[in-house]
Amino acid sequence: MRLITQALNLFRGEQRAINPSWQGAALIAGNGTTAGKAESLSAVYACVSAISETIASLPLILYKRVDDDGRERAKGHPLYRVLHDQPNEHQTALEFREMMQAMVLLRGNAHAEIGRGADGQVTTLTPLLNDRVTTLQLPNGRLAYDVTDGKGNVRRLLQEEVFHLRHRSDNGLVGVAPITASRETVQLALAEREHGTSTFSNGARLSGILKFPQRLSNDQSNQLRNSWESQHAGGANAGKTAILQEGVEYQTVSMSMEDSEYLASRQFSVEEIARLYRVPPTIIGDLRHGNYSNSVEMNRVFVVHTLRRHMTMWEQAISRSLLTDAGRRMYFAEHNVEGLLRGDSTNRADFYSKALADKWMTVDEVRQLENLPKIDHAQQDQAAPAQPAQDEAGPDQVPGTHTKTQ
């Protein structure tokens, strides 16, 4: 089917989408702020790391449907190894999924080239750099991707040859990253950081003016400015005493850091960026509102309201791009999040106790969730001590005694 589609496209011709938002979605517009520069903010880096590292570390299992509601791991399927073990010769499954998820969060899209075996099954997934991928729309409505290598050569991949993850989209075809949709929030945080860096690099002294009673020539002004900066600018000159002569006065013309509430604005920027990624502030190290009583609940909120969207994105994209129509009816991919949701030992014990009492879980299922081996019931029965047999006794006879017959 793919060969037929390629042949038809040769005769139909191809055209680029006119919509400029289709071009890669890589940069944040304004002030030359790139996704890499945005990630230099600790809050952005922490949010991206919290989501991508957690998603990548969760087991992603390919299951096979059995009977009506049953399922089992499809370890014999080639895609199982690609998702669970190693997607390509250079990366482990964790490294690949962490990279792809981070690209989605920073650039809105992540692409990987699909490699298939002779039987058409997926055998490799190789990530593509976002800055080198341009999305196109063919006349038949399907997508294609122009991929540029380091030498400027361009090759075209069809929709069936690319595994595409996207964040929330404006057109349903190309995703938009949170830092792109709300670029002003990131730019404000960058401006606040640069303000603090500039202030402390100048010895925590804010800008001001020198007032002279007489007029200075241009040469005198330049010499005085250079002399002042060499003696009083920079962290190495912090705390030095300035000596002013001939009626010269120094006057500050900038707000103090207390007047501009610098620290409060920096803390608010952390909350703003955490809000963009829907990450609880306690997850990225802002513990002002965290305590022992709500830490478990914050982890649950992180899984339900932050990770679930991205896990569903992976699972549905796998079904769409990596399985055939027949395969989708038989196989499906799913993350295992039990380890994140089970809470502390007290809550787990109470949960398992109720599950065993209501008989909707077995002891072996509980032990499996706790990474314990199954119980060998045959060996357990052999090791159990034999119970002493009791003879039938009459109403006036003590059990275990015998009556001698005359």
Side-chain angles (χ1 to χ4, degrees):
M1 182 64 184
R2 187 174 56 184
L3 295 176
I4 296 176
T5 303
Q6 291 176 338
L8 291 176
N9 287 332
L10 292 176
F11 294 97
R12 294 174 180 170
E14 298 172 342
Q15 65 182 24
R16 294 183 180 272
I18 300 176
N19 189 344
S21 66
W22 286 47
Q23 302 299 321
L27 300 180
I28 305 174
N31 297 336
T33 305
T34 64
K37 190 173 182 180
E39 196 178 13
S40 68
L41 291 170
S42 61
V44 174
Y45 187 90
C47 287
V48 173
S49 296
I51 298 175
S52 60
E53 290 174 3
T54 306
I55 291 289
S57 62
L58 289 175
L60 179 56
I61 309 300
L62 183 70
Y63 290 101
K64 181 180 180 180
R65 293 183 173 89
V66 180
D67 299 330
D68 294 333
D69 299 324
R71 63 178 181 177
E72 62 182 16
R73 294 196 178 200
K75 295 183 178 181
H77 198 287
L79 185 58
Y80 182 93
R81 183 193 63 83
V82 173
L83 298 178
H84 188 269
D85 300 325
Q86 187 172 2
N88 56 70
E89 61 179 349
H90 302 295
Q91 293 177 302
T92 64
L94 182 144
E95 294 169 344
F96 169 77
R97 290 163 56 199
E98 183 179 8
M99 177 182 179
M100 294 285 286
Q101 183 63 55
M103 286 195 291
V104 171
L105 297 171
L106 289 170
R107 295 172 171 83
N109 299 272
H111 309 85
E113 183 175 358
I114 302 173
R116 300 182 186 272
D119 56 355
Q121 298 293 340
V122 177
T123 56
T124 59
L125 289 173
T126 306
L128 303 171
L129 298 180
N130 286 69
D131 297 341
R132 297 182 180 179
V133 178
T134 302
T135 304
L136 315 172
Q137 186 179 26
L138 305 179
N140 59 7
R142 300 182 66 80
L143 296 182
Y145 303 87
D146 274 357
V147 181
T148 306
D149 61 15
K151 300 179 181 179
N153 301 318
V154 180
R155 60 191 180 97
R156 177 157 297 176
L157 299 176
L158 298 179
Q159 180 172 319
E160 296 80 7
E161 299 172 308
V162 176
F163 178 63
H164 185 183
L165 300 173
R166 58 177 68 91
H167 209 277
R168 190 181 68 180
S169 175
D170 291 336
N171 54 22
L173 300 172
V174 173
V176 179
I179 56 176
T180 304
S182 185
R183 60 179 65 91
E184 291 81 5
T185 300
V186 179
Q187 290 169 0
L188 176 60
L190 287 170
E192 291 169 350
R193 187 188 64 181
E194 292 171 359
H195 167 69
T197 301
S198 176
T199 299
F200 285 99
S201 65
N202 286 288
R205 295 179 181 272
L206 300 181
S207 60
I209 59 174
L210 293 174
K211 298 174 64 176
F212 287 84
Q214 71 274 9
R215 182 180 180 85
L216 300 177
S217 65
N218 291 336
D219 291 339
Q220 290 175 327
S221 299
N222 292 332
Q223 291 176 3
L224 183 62
R225 181 186 301 107
N226 295 334
S227 176
W228 180 270
E229 290 178 352
S230 64
Q231 296 181 39
H232 302 290
N237 295 322
K240 287 186 176 181
T241 302
I243 300 175
L244 305 179
Q245 301 178 0
E246 302 294 337
V248 179
E249 297 179 5
Y250 179 79
Q251 180 180 346
T252 301
V253 295
S254 299
M255 292 186 298
S256 67
M257 298 187 74
E258 291 80 8
D259 293 336
S260 60
E261 297 185 350
Y262 174 73
L263 295 179
S265 62
R266 291 280 287 162
Q267 290 176 345
F268 182 70
S269 292
V270 172
E271 295 179 1
E272 284 278 86
I273 293 173
R275 189 177 294 117
L276 283 181
Y277 285 104
R278 295 174 59 83
V279 174
T282 55
I283 299 295
I284 61 173
D286 185 358
L287 303 177
R288 288 173 297 154
H289 306 294
N291 51 60
Y292 288 106
S293 62
N294 65 5
S295 59
V296 174
E297 182 63 19
M298 287 296 99
N299 287 335
R300 190 191 69 81
V301 170
F302 180 59
V303 174
V304 174
H305 296 289
T306 304
L307 299 182
R308 183 169 61 178
R309 186 268 172 206
H310 300 287
M311 290 188 293
T312 305
M313 171 190 68
W314 275 90
E315 293 163 4
Q316 295 184 355
I318 290 170
S319 177
R320 179 195 66 222
S321 301
L322 305 183
L323 293 173
T324 63
D325 291 338
R328 281 189 285 271
R329 291 191 291 268
M330 186 178 299
Y331 300 96
F332 67 95
E334 187 174 275
H335 290 85
N336 186 350
V337 297
E338 291 296 333
L340 295 177
L341 292 174
R342 62 187 184 182
D344 55 26
S345 57
T346 302
N347 291 329
R348 294 203 310 273
D350 181 65
F351 171 77
Y352 294 146
S353 177
K354 293 178 180 178
L356 292 173
D358 295 339
K359 297 182 179 180
W360 56 270
M361 285 186 72
T362 65
V363 174
D364 285 338
E365 290 173 338
V366 171
R367 293 177 63 87
Q368 183 179 10
L369 292 178
E370 290 295 314
N371 294 319
L372 296 173
K374 293 183 179 181
I375 296 176
D376 190 338
H377 297 283
Q379 185 176 1
Q380 187 180 38
D381 292 341
Q382 292 177 0
Q387 297 295 329
Q390 294 183 351
D391 297 332
E392 293 184 0
D396 297 329
Q397 183 177 348
V398 179
T401 61
H402 296 275
T403 302
K404 187 177 180 180
T405 304
Q406 297 296 331

